[in-house]
């Protein structure tokens, strides 16, 4: 009698489930496409059964109607919810939707288009996770968010397009298509400046992966794209465009905050609180840059800066080759998603649509942290609960900030050796499931 035949059937079933969940079974490859299909059906069910909720769509269409009518002064473009406060790519994308949906009147068609966008985005997210060697047990968390489905197919927010181009950029960067990655990233930034949160990690990935000279060219290209898409508005009122599209002095309302309600309105509105968040954001970013993201360089930030200032290239040819080799798909996904999580943690105020930047990031970051899968699912569930409490409460906002802070702290620990050999990383994931 073979060893397998002597093993009780329930133990074989458990072993099969564990092997499939950790990628050790041939059937593991079927999990992502099966989940993608299931979520496509779920999106259809959501559109069919749950009423559409109007928040910003009408305002978007009102603003676009003025653009279509010939208005190019950003200061003059307004909608029912206020002035136009997004960069030019937002205007162009919603102009396309304006034309496709009969000037915004066909909401059902708009929902279908956003459902297609959601599924395309989910496919990208899954491809990026798979490329970064995330185990299959992480993937169910990518389709289970109630809030995320709402943001895409029931609200039609512009964040959906911004996050799509962020993930498309990551997809390209993981495959070392540096120019395409930079192009898609800057287009996403042209939709909504929330993508600035990931810029430090994107810049370092380009610097280490493509080389110093190439990264400067890519940075120039990204800046040029922002100028070119804004030309129609810059030609009329350049200060008005820059002030509205990239408004850093925007006032935040306590009643809409998802993250800092527990500190109270007086603290929330105080300048000291704002400066403290900014200072902490900078300090944590510096810590990640110097002790995590620059590890492939094998040189300190000071050494790199000193070399560049002296007019010399920061790397020899061999050093550049070695650094570029360590900019792996897992490194790229970890660094960009952690930069995004850091930015969200210290954001002055988060609204519900900002969950689109977080929902697909947390499962991967928690896996990278190395905590047990049960803890990963528990933290994800706590986060999902908190983002579905409306309106937010001191308790829910405390959970939002707490899970974000814990995720950043855990990924700091888990990503302490970005040059860990793939086999060792895989063994670590398998051991966690035991």
């Amino acid at each position: 009698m073979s060893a397998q035949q002597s093993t009780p059937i329930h133990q074989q079933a458990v072993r099969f489930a564990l092997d499939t969940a950790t990628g050790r079974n041939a059937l593991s490859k079927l999990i992502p496409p099966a989940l993608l299909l299931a979520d496509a059906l779920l999106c259809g069910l959501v559109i069919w059964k749950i009423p559409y909720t109007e928040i910003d769509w009408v305002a978007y269409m009102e603003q676009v109607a003025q653009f279509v009518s010939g208005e190019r002064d950003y200061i003059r473009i307004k909608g029912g919810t206020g002035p136009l406060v997004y960069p030019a790519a937002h205007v162009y994308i919603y102009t396309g939707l304006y034309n496709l949906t009969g000037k915004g009147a066909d909401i059902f068609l708009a929902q279908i288009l956003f459902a297609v966008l959601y599924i395309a985005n989910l496919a990208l997210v899954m491809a990026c996770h798979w490329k970064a060697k995330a185990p299959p047990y992480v993937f169910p968390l990518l389709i289970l968010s109630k809030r995320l489905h709402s943001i895409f197919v029931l609200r039609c927010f512009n964040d959906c397009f911004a996050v799509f181009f962020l993930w498309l950029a990551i997809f390209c960067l993981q495959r070392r298509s540096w120019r395409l990655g930079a192009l898609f990233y800057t287009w996403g930034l042209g939709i909504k400046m929330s993508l600035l949160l990931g810029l430090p990690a994107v810049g370092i990935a380009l610097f280490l992966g493509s080389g110093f000279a190439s990264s400067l060219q890519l940075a120039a290209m990204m800046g040029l794209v922002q100028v070119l898409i804004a030309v129609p508005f810059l030609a009329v009122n350049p200060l008005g465009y820059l002030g509205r599209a990239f408004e850093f002095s925007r006032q935040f309302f306590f009643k809409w905050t998802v993250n800092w309600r527990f500190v109270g309105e007086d603290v929330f509105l105080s300048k000291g609180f704002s400066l403290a968040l900014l200072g902490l954001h900078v300090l944590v970013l510096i810590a990640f840059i110097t002790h995590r993201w620059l590890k492939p360089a094998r040189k300190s930030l000071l050494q790199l800066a000193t070399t560049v200032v002296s007019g010399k290239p920061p790397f020899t040819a061999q050093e550049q080759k070695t650094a570029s080799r360590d900019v792996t798909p897992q490194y790229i996904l970890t660094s960009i998603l952690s930069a995004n999580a850091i930015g969200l943690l210290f954001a002055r105020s988060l609204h519900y649509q900002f969950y689109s930047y977080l929902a697909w990031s947390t499962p991967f970051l928690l896996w990278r942290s190395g905590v047990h899968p049960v803890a990963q699912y528990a933290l994800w569930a706590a986060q999902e609960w908190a983002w579905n409490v409306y309106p937010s409460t001191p308790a829910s906002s405390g959970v939002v900030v707490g899970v974000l802070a814990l995720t950043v702290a855990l990924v700091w620990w888990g990503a302490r050796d970005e040059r860990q050999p793939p086999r060792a990383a895989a063994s670590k994931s398998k051991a966690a499931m035991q």
Side-chain angles (χ1 to χ4, degrees), residues 230-248:
V231 163
F233 309 105
L234 293 174
V236 175
N237 186 350
L239 293 180
Y241 174 78
L242 295 173
R244 284 287 168 81
F246 300 96
E247 186 180 1
F248 293 99

Side-chain angles (χ1 to χ4, degrees), residues 249-312:
S249 60
R250 191 176 306 165
Q251 295 295 315
F252 297 97
F253 296 101
F254 182 72
K255 66 178 180 178
W256 298 122
T257 185
V258 178
N259 54 335
W260 292 114
R261 186 172 297 277
F262 67 91
V263 302
E265 187 169 6
D266 290 341
V267 172
F268 176 83
L269 295 175
S270 68
K271 189 169 184 178
F273 181 64
S274 175
L275 292 174
L277 290 175
L278 178 61
L280 287 170
H281 187 185
V282 171
L283 287 175
V284 174
L285 270 182
I286 291 173
F288 269 82
I289 289 170
T290 56
H291 296 287
R292 293 294 180 266
W293 303 338
L294 281 177
K295 274 193 171 184
R298 295 170 174 81
K299 291 184 179 182
S300 69
L301 179 61
L302 181 60
Q303 287 175 309
L304 292 169
T306 302
T307 305
V308 171
V309 169
S310 66
K312 301 176 182 178

Side-chain angles (χ1 to χ4, degrees), residues 2-19:
S2 66
Q4 184 172 358
Q5 289 175 328
S6 63
T7 303
I9 188 67
H10 70 279
Q11 291 185 13
Q12 293 183 40
V14 170
R15 183 177 301 156
F16 171 79
L18 288 175
D19 286 346

Side-chain angles (χ1 to χ4, degrees), residues 56-85 90-92 94-95 98-99 103-104 232-233 236 244:
D56 282 338
W57 175 262
V58 170
Y60 292 162
M61 295 298 104
E62 291 171 345
Q63 293 162 355
V64 164
Q66 294 167 55
F67 170 73
V68 171
S69 298
E71 183 60 72
R72 296 296 182 269
D73 187 343
Y74 247 57
I75 297 296
R76 296 177 180 271
I77 301 178
K78 298 178 181 180
T81 60
L84 175 58
V85 292
H90 159 87
V91 177
Y92 302 142
Y94 276 85
T95 297
Y98 177 86
N99 292 322
K103 300 182 180 180
F233 309 105
V236 175
R244 284 287 168 81

Side-chain angles (χ1 to χ4, degrees), residues 48-360:
W48 179 34
K49 289 292 186 180
I50 302 178
Y52 163 79
T53 305
E54 170 53 38
I55 296 180
D56 282 338
W57 175 262
V58 170
Y60 292 162
M61 295 298 104
E62 291 171 345
Q63 293 162 355
V64 164
Q66 294 167 55
F67 170 73
V68 171
S69 298
E71 183 60 72
R72 296 296 182 269
D73 187 343
Y74 247 57
I75 297 296
R76 296 177 180 271
I77 301 178
K78 298 178 181 180
T81 60
L84 175 58
V85 292
Y86 307 115
H90 159 87
V91 177
Y92 302 142
I93 286 175
Y94 276 85
T95 297
L97 293 171
Y98 177 86
N99 292 322
L100 286 172
T101 60
K103 300 182 180 180
D106 194 341
I107 296 296
F108 179 67
L109 176 58
Q111 288 184 275
I112 292 175
L113 293 173
F114 272 83
V116 171
L117 176 65
Y118 172 89
I119 294 301
N121 205 335
L122 179 59
L124 279 174
V125 170
M126 288 183 169
C128 292
H129 279 64
W130 196 266
K131 190 73 171 175
K133 304 185 185 303
Y137 73 78
V138 170
F139 284 70
L141 296 179
L142 302 177
I143 73 165
L144 294 176
S145 174
K146 175 184 175 183
R147 176 60 67 185
L148 191 60
H149 286 89
S150 173
I151 290 169
F152 272 82
V153 299
L154 296 179
R155 293 344 188 240
C156 303
F157 286 122
N158 64 348
D159 302 83
C160 303
F161 284 98
V163 78
F164 172 79
F165 284 102
L166 173 63
W167 281 100
L168 186 55
I170 292 171
F171 179 88
C172 293
L173 293 176
Q174 285 184 318
R175 287 151 183 81
R176 309 185 76 77
S177 296
W178 309 118
R179 190 170 299 277
L180 272 178
L183 184 62
F184 288 131
Y185 174 78
T186 195
W187 180 259
L189 183 58
I191 298 170
K192 196 164 186 179
M193 69 174 184
S194 306
L195 264 62
L196 282 172
L197 298 179
L199 182 59
V202 171
I204 291 173
L206 292 173
F207 167 62
L208 296 177
S210 70
F212 178 60
S214 177
S215 64
L216 291 179
Q217 294 172 3
L218 293 172
M221 179 196 74
M222 291 163 67
L224 181 60
V225 168
Q226 292 300 319
V227 173
L228 289 177
I229 65 175
V231 163
F233 309 105
L234 293 174
V236 175
N237 186 350
L239 293 180
Y241 174 78
L242 295 173
R244 284 287 168 81
F246 300 96
E247 186 180 1
F248 293 99
S249 60
R250 191 176 306 165
Q251 295 295 315
F252 297 97
F253 296 101
F254 182 72
K255 66 178 180 178
W256 298 122
T257 185
V258 178
N259 54 335
W260 292 114
R261 186 172 297 277
F262 67 91
V263 302
E265 187 169 6
D266 290 341
V267 172
F268 176 83
L269 295 175
S270 68
K271 189 169 184 178
F273 181 64
S274 175
L275 292 174
L277 290 175
L278 178 61
L280 287 170
H281 187 185
V282 171
L283 287 175
V284 174
L285 270 182
I286 291 173
F288 269 82
I289 289 170
T290 56
H291 296 287
R292 293 294 180 266
W293 303 338
L294 281 177
K295 274 193 171 184
R298 295 170 174 81
K299 291 184 179 182
S300 69
L301 179 61
L302 181 60
Q303 287 175 309
L304 292 169
T306 302
T307 305
V308 171
V309 169
S310 66
K312 301 176 182 178
F315 302 114
T316 65
Q318 184 57 45
E319 288 173 339
Q320 175 58 56
K321 184 178 179 181
T322 302
S324 182
R325 181 193 64 202
D326 287 339
V327 180
T328 63
Q330 189 175 101
Y331 166 89
I332 288 170
L333 192 55
T334 303
S335 57
I336 294 176
L337 296 189
S338 57
N340 194 58
I342 293 166
L344 293 173
L345 172 60
F346 296 111
R348 174 74 176 278
S349 183
L350 297 178
H351 297 172
Y352 287 98
Q353 59 265 40
F354 280 81
Y355 195 47
S356 58
Y357 304 98
L358 184 62
W360 283 322

